[in-house]
Amino acid sequence: GNPMSTRVAPKVMVPEIHPSHLALVEGGVDLADPEFGGAGNDGVMPAVLDRSVEHKGPLNVVLKYFATGIGPDGDPLDELRITHALNAGIGGVGASPPSAATVSAAHVGGTDSVIVQLMGRLTSEGQHQHGHGKQPRRAAVYRLVEDGRPLAKKPLDSVRMLRGRWEPQAVSADWLLGVASELAVALAYSHAYHVAHGDVYAHNVLVDFAQAKGTKPTMLPGHSLATLYDFGAAFFYPRREGPEPSGFEIVEVRAFGLLLSDMVEYLKPPGGEAASHVNYLGSLAAAASDTTHPTRRPKFEDMARALEVLRVSGPAMASKILALPYGPGPG
């Protein structure tokens, strides 16, 4: 894994799941298909987790196999430890807990969590049973994000490696602002625990596009609008003394800004709906991705607060939380 991450990482034990508690779903969507933002050399299969021993009903999950050894993102065990730590509210050495508002908005541990939920990893016996041939494979069990699809498709070449393949479409302003807000909350939550995701791109954000067309998102109980997943490149980073944000957060804020700018460009509310709200979102994207004064980029905590206020009260009130140098637009 990442040597720096190892020095500041908390000691966590990822729960183990015996293969007898899992049933693979035949004919399910191949989530490893690149068209669905797949997992490269890893394999992902839908399954059902039997939780009767916990006196709970069955749970739809995905079983993620990892290529043997160290992959492009590093040690797969790091992904499991970090995701489990975030789910459990355990931060790196010296990390301060997120604000109460961030914890409340993140719903971590609930069915509407903005952070993907790791249920556990296969036991050693399961690695052999589900491995190909005689070679055991590590595998993680994640809660299925119902109706979740990547915000954009994963790049298939190196021409636009840092940006996704978007399908331009009309979405409601409420849905657009909601996705941006929940993603900011997920990243504020992670960085409060000194965790950098390391791969903040649209193909690592799961959303339900079926909710994107109405005036108000049709939120089902226990569902979030956006879920941040795939912590394969994530790492814990050391605490920085003083009020200034860590350089790792500053870098990741830029990645978030670029993602926001793509959202504003490709996902447009019809007929100029809530134009002032969308203008503020575009201004926030510009401030977050600014390369002239990187240390002046807004913190995730401030962006999460401003975006929530933007959803509820509009850009004028959001500007009181986070005044942008580029202006919030009219209204």
Side-chain angles (χ1 to χ4, degrees), residues 181-192:
S181 176
E182 292 190 1
L183 182 54
V185 167
L187 290 165
Y189 181 90
S190 299
H191 279 275

Side-chain angles (χ1 to χ4, degrees), residues 107 110-113 145-148 175 182 208 210-211 216-226:
H107 303 291
T111 57
D112 51 352
S113 172
V145 178
E146 300 287 350
D147 300 315
W175 186 88
E182 292 190 1
D208 181 4
Q211 300 184 45
K216 291 284 185 181
T218 307
M219 287 296 294
L220 300 174
H223 282 68
S224 60
L225 285 175

Side-chain angles (χ1 to χ4, degrees), residues 19 22 40 45 74 78 87 98 106 130 166-167 181 195-196 211 221 255 310 316:
L22 285 167
M45 295 185 65
D78 279 351
N87 290 165
H130 288 280
W166 293 80
E167 295 181 0
S181 176
V195 170
Q211 300 184 45
L310 178 66

Side-chain angles (χ1 to χ4, degrees), residues 178-214:
V179 169
S181 176
E182 292 190 1
L183 182 54
V185 167
L187 290 165
Y189 181 90
S190 299
H191 279 275
Y193 284 122
H194 291 183
V195 170
H197 183 275
D199 210 6
V200 180
Y201 303 123
H203 59 270
N204 285 332
V205 180
L206 295 178
V207 299
D208 181 4
F209 279 105
Q211 300 184 45
K213 306 303 181 183

Side-chain angles (χ1 to χ4, degrees), residues 173-182 184 216 256 260 263-264 269 273-285 302-322 324 327-331:
D174 290 296
W175 186 88
L176 180 67
L177 298 174
V179 169
S181 176
E182 292 190 1
K216 291 284 185 181
F256 177 67
L260 282 185
M263 289 175 60
V264 171
E273 175 192 337
S276 61
H277 294 63
V278 177
N279 285 345
Y280 183 94
L281 192 61
S283 296
L284 181 60
D302 295 333
M303 288 191 288
R305 290 174 57 221
L307 285 170
E308 177 58 27
V309 171
L310 178 66
R311 294 173 69 181
V312 176
S313 305
M317 294 300 295
S319 295
K320 294 183 180 181
I321 302 296
L322 184 60
L324 300 175

Side-chain angles (χ1 to χ4, degrees), residues 225-270:
L225 285 175
T227 304
L228 181 65
Y229 79 113
D230 194 350
F231 284 77
F235 56 91
F236 288 99
Y237 57 82
R239 177 182 180 181
R240 175 189 174 95
E241 298 296 335
E244 296 300 320
S246 164
F248 297 105
E249 179 173 357
I250 291 173
V251 170
E252 199 136 279
V253 164
R254 173 166 166 75
F256 177 67
L258 294 174
L259 195 160
L260 282 185
S261 67
D262 279 352
M263 289 175 60
V264 171
E265 179 178 356
Y266 294 108
L267 306 177
K268 296 185 180 296

